[in-house]
Amino acid sequence: MLLKHRLSLHQIFTFTWKVDIMLLLCCTLVYLLDTYWLSDHIAIPVSVSAVLGTAIAFFIGFNNNQAYDRWWEARIIWGALVNDSRSWGRSLLHYANTNGDLELRAQVRHMIYRHLAFVYALKAALRKLPDNYYTRFLTKEEIDRVQEQQNIPNALLNLQSEDLQQLRQSGAIDGFAFIELNELLVKHCDEMGKSERIKNTVFPPSYVYFTRVFIWFYVIMNTLMMTEAIGPWSILFGWGFGFVYHVTHLNGISLMNPFEYHPLGTPLDSIARTIEINLIELMGDEPVPQPVKPKIDGLYIM
C-alpha cells in the first residue's frame, strides 16, 4: 500500500517506462506510415478522436471502479479481522475462569497464539508465497495435523473449535461466553471465505483485453489525425494521449488483485504484524515484535 501522497517523476517513469517506449515506437511508426504512404489515400476525420476517447473513458472508468471495489473490500475484510482478533484475545483472557489451573491457563494462551498462526497462514495462502512463519505458534503435532489438509487456515479454525469445546466442558467458560467466542470463530471463518472469494474470482479478462485494444487503436487513430496538422509533433502528442489512458488503465489493473505481493496491494504483512503485536502485548509476553517498516524511504508498505 502506498504511503506517500506524491510520487516523484523517477517513480512514475519507473512504473510506466515499458508503456512509454511502446507508445513512442508505435507513434513513430504510425507517423512514418502516414507521411510516406497513407496520407495520399485517406484523411482521418477529427470526430474519430472525440468519439473513441469518450468510449474508452467509459471502459476504463468501469474497470477502475470495479478494481477499486475489490481492493477496498479486501481492506475492509482485513480491518474487521484486526478488530475480531483483538476481541478474540481479550475475551479468552477475561472470560475463561481457569481457577489457578495451569493447564487450562496454558490452553487459553495457546489458543490466542494459534490465532496468530491462523492470521499468518491465511496471509500466506492468499499471496501463494512459501511462508512457514505461522508454524512458530504451533506445536509439532498441530503442524503435522494441519499440513495434511489443503486449507491450512481452515484446519486451524477446526483446532480452535475443539479447544473451545474443551473449555466449555471443563467449566472454564459458561454458555454465554461459549456462544460469544464461537461467534468470533464464525467471523474469522467469514473473513477467510470473503478473502478467498476475492482471491479466486478472476476479473473478467475480456474487459481488460478489449480496453487495451481500444486504447492502442485510439493512439493510432489520434496520431494519424494529428500528423496531417502538426507533422512530427504528432509523435509527442500521440505519446501524451496514450500515456494518460494507459497509466489510468494500469492503475486499475494494479488494484484488481489486492492480495498480490506488490506496492499497491493490501498491506497484509503490516496488518498481520499489528495483530501479533496487539495480542502479545495483551498477554504481557516478551519480546514484542517491531512493526513492519515501509520500503523505499517510506514510499509503500507490504
Side-chain angles (χ1 to χ4, degrees), residues 235-301:
I235 298 174
L236 181 61
F237 280 91
W239 165 84
F241 283 110
F243 179 84
V244 171
Y245 279 91
H246 272 295
V247 172
T248 305
H249 184 51
L250 285 174
N251 283 334
I253 292 176
S254 62
L255 298 177
M256 286 180 183
N257 299 307
F259 296 122
E260 294 292 332
Y261 191 78
H262 60 76
L264 295 179
T266 305
L268 300 186
D269 291 349
S270 177
I271 296 173
R273 181 60 57 82
T274 297
I275 295 174
E276 182 181 0
I277 292 172
N278 292 163
L279 295 187
I280 290 178
E281 288 181 338
L282 176 67
M283 293 184 289
D285 288 351
E286 295 287 345
V288 178
Q290 294 297 316
V292 173
K293 295 181 179 179
K295 301 178 181 293
I296 310 182
D297 298 328
L299 177 61
Y300 64 89
I301 195 167

Side-chain angles (χ1 to χ4, degrees), residues 157-177:
L157 290 182
N158 293 337
L159 294 178
Q160 297 285 60
S161 295
E162 293 175 6
D163 277 9
L164 184 61
Q165 179 65 17
Q166 290 179 8
L167 290 179
R168 177 71 181 96
Q169 293 174 348
S170 66
I173 57 175
D174 59 24
F176 293 105

Side-chain angles (χ1 to χ4, degrees), residues 137-209:
F137 303 110
L138 303 174
T139 64
K140 179 64 168 62
E141 293 75 15
E142 289 175 335
I143 295 173
D144 293 338
R145 182 175 172 182
V146 300
Q147 289 184 345
E148 292 176 353
Q149 302 186 36
Q150 293 185 0
N151 193 323
I152 293 177
N154 189 59
L156 290 169
L157 290 182
N158 293 337
L159 294 178
Q160 297 285 60
S161 295
E162 293 175 6
D163 277 9
L164 184 61
Q165 179 65 17
Q166 290 179 8
L167 290 179
R168 177 71 181 96
Q169 293 174 348
S170 66
I173 57 175
D174 59 24
F176 293 105
F178 175 82
I179 292 174
E180 182 171 339
L181 287 166
N182 186 65
E183 286 179 352
L184 286 173
L185 281 181
V186 172
K187 288 183 178 180
H188 297 158
C189 186
D190 288 343
E191 288 148 1
M192 175 182 66
K194 291 176 182 178
S195 298
E196 291 172 342
R197 170 174 53 79
I198 295 174
K199 177 66 178 180
N200 298 327
T201 302
V202 178
F203 193 89
S206 58
Y207 285 104
V208 178
Y209 174 77

